[in-house]
């Protein structure tokens, strides 16, 4: 009778156990439940595992819960995760939703401040789509901007730094008419400037005398 009671208490104790991740391999992990007890390889619970799938592997020493049907630890499931001394809460502000990565990257949204930030310690950020639309009234790029395809500006754009256009510029006046391009300063062309079919460098000027006279000036 005492042996049966002891087995029952052991099974009850194993229904829900706290532990830390000991090893991770593929989609399974082993959990350290005490100084001398480590589980077999168990699955951990994912947020989604159907046609929509998520992936975030647990970390060694991360504190977790093991749920074992009937108290059988060999059939347990790992439920991540609980904050611990090894891995404390990265944020205490209740208005902030954040994810911190081991390389120092942080993705965070503060719903009180309406601020979404993504901080990457080097590396790259890539968006692959047929079309990306920004409805922000103002977009600021503090570094260099390289456009490999066409740059189409429907309304206006302001560039405060030097601009290199390697594919040419095609400026067209808006639907209301007006000037297609206004330049405040000097335009320097290494080859030629065309106005319609007229070449600035090559077209002849009529009514000009040889010598020191210049075209385009009235003679007094």
């Amino acid at each position: 009778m005492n042996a049966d009671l002891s087995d029952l208490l052991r099974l009850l104790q194993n229904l829900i156990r706290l532990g830390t991740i000991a090893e991770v391999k593929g989609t399974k992990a082993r959990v350290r439940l005490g100084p001398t007890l480590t589980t077999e390889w168990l699955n951990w619970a994912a947020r989604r595992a159907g046609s929509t799938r998520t992936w975030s592997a647990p970390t060694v020493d991360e504190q977790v819960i093991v749920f074992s049907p009937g108290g059988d630890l060999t059939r347990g499931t790992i439920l991540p995760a609980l904050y611990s001394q090894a891995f404390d809460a990265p944020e205490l502000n209740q208005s902030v939703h954040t994810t911190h990565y081991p390389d120092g990257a942080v993705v965070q949204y503060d719903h009180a401040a309406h601020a979404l930030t993504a901080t990457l310690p080097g590396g790259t950020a890539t968006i692959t789509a047929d079309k990306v639309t920004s409805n922000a009234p103002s977009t600021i790029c503090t570094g260099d901007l390289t456009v490999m395809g066409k740059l189409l500006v429907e309304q206006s754009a302001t560039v405060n730094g030097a601009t290199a256009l390697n594919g040419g510029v095609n400026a067209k006046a808006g639907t209301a008419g007006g000037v297609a391009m206004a330049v405040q300063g000097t335009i320097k062309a290494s080859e030629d400037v065309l106005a319609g079919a007229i070449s600035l460098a090559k077209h002849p000027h009529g009514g000009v005398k040889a010598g020191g006279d210049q075209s385009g000036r009235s003679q007094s």
Side-chain angles (χ1 to χ4, degrees), residues 7 16 21 34 56 59 61 88 128 155 159 195 207 214:
D7 288 341
I16 303 176
I21 297 294
S56 181
T59 305
D61 292 332
D88 201 359
T128 302
Q155 296 294 328
V159 180
Q214 295 181 352

Side-chain angles (χ1 to χ4, degrees), residues 164-180:
L165 301 173
N166 297 320
V169 179
N170 184 6
K172 181 180 179 181
T175 56
V179 178

Side-chain angles (χ1 to χ4, degrees), residues 66-97:
V66 178
F67 290 95
S68 302
D72 184 359
L73 290 175
T74 63
R75 298 191 295 131
T77 299
I78 303 169
L79 179 65
L82 300 172
Y83 296 125
S84 63
Q85 291 183 346
F87 298 103
D88 201 359
E91 178 65 52
L92 297 178
N93 189 337
Q94 296 184 11
S95 68
V96 170
H97 179 271

Side-chain angles (χ1 to χ4, degrees), residues 82-151:
L82 300 172
Y83 296 125
S84 63
Q85 291 183 346
F87 298 103
D88 201 359
E91 178 65 52
L92 297 178
N93 189 337
Q94 296 184 11
S95 68
V96 170
H97 179 271
T98 184
T99 301
H100 289 227
Y101 296 91
D103 65 345
V106 179
V107 178
Q108 180 169 292
Y109 180 66
D110 185 340
H111 64 80
H114 312 295
L116 174 65
T117 58
T119 303
L120 305 180
T124 60
T126 303
I127 298 176
T128 302
D130 291 337
K131 183 178 181 180
V132 177
T133 301
S134 172
N135 292 320
S138 176
T139 301
I140 300 174
C141 178
T142 59
D144 296 338
L145 177 64
T146 301
V147 179
M148 303 303 294
K150 295 180 180 179
L151 177 63

Side-chain angles (χ1 to χ4, degrees), residues 10 17 25 28 32 42-43 62 104 117 127 137 144 170 212:
R10 178 180 57 81
R17 295 288 299 266
K25 182 174 66 176
K28 295 181 181 293
R32 186 182 301 106
L42 305 176
N43 291 315
E62 183 174 1
T117 58
I127 298 176
D144 296 338
N170 184 6

